[in-house]
Structure formats: structure tokens, C-alpha cells
Amino acid sequence: MADIDPWTLLTIVLLGVITVVTRSFFFISSKPWTLPGWAQRGLQYAPIAALAAVVVPEIVVSQGALVTTWQDARLFSAAAGAAWFFWRKGVLGTIVVGMLVYLPLRLGLGW
């Protein structure tokens, strides 16, 4: 504990205080609080935006650079999964179809 920089300790403490205050903000108020309509509409898209932010880079980026070849199993499996989802609207089927395309291309052809 002696080798901790005082500025680092102060930063950690202040970030902890900010986290507690912002997370307990809704409990501090005595009256009911609702989000404006525009914020509620915007939050409806938050889950799909977060999912896209995680999935899309995994598909189009390899070792920190954009994929430059069509011989990448992830591209074909993502396209097959998306086609299945738009056709049948099933998440489990999307995963299964994507893996059925990905595994032979990755393991069989070495893409």
C-alpha cells in the first residue's frame, strides 16, 4: 500500500464517489422521475446498438486491421446467419446456421 501514488488513490476514491452518486441519483429524489419521450425512444435502440458494437468488429476486423480478403469464414457465416434471421426470425436458428457455415470453412478450408 505504501507504493501507491497519492494522485492514483485520489482518482480511485473520486471515481468511486461519482459512481455511487450517479447510481443513487434516482433514489435521492422524493418525487417520481420519468425520462422525456425522446430519451425513452432513444433507449429502445440501446441493446441493438451495444450488440452491434460488439459483434461487427469481430466480423470485419482481424488482428487490428480490416479484413482484406473474401476468404474469411466470419464474413460468410455472418451473411448466412443474417439471411436465416431475416427469413425465419429465430435467434437459435441464426446461431446454428452461422456455425454450420463457419465450422466447415474454418476447419475444413482453413479460412
Side-chain angles (χ1 to χ4, degrees):
M1 186 82 175
D3 60 341
I4 295 180
D5 180 25
W7 289 108
T8 304
L9 185 61
L10 178 66
T11 302
I12 293 171
V13 169
L14 289 177
L15 285 173
V17 169
I18 289 170
T19 301
V20 169
V21 169
T22 56
R23 291 184 181 254
S24 63
F25 178 71
F26 299 106
F27 300 120
I28 294 172
S29 178
S30 61
K31 61 181 182 177
W33 189 80
T34 58
L35 287 172
W38 60 267
Q40 288 179 352
R41 283 191 311 274
L43 286 175
Q44 290 176 348
Y45 299 104
I48 192 67
L51 183 63
V54 172
V55 172
V56 171
E58 283 296 321
I59 295 170
V60 299
V61 175
S62 178
Q63 297 179 357
L66 287 174
V67 175
T68 58
T69 178
W70 285 101
Q71 290 184 336
D72 194 332
R74 295 174 299 171
L75 299 174
F76 289 99
S77 62
W84 178 270
F85 181 78
F86 287 121
W87 180 45
R88 302 290 283 189
K89 303 288 188 221
V91 175
L92 180 61
T94 302
I95 294 169
V96 169
V97 167
M99 290 308 293
L100 285 175
V101 171
Y102 177 79
L103 288 175
L105 292 176
R106 180 76 175 166
L107 299 176
L109 296 177
W111 289 7

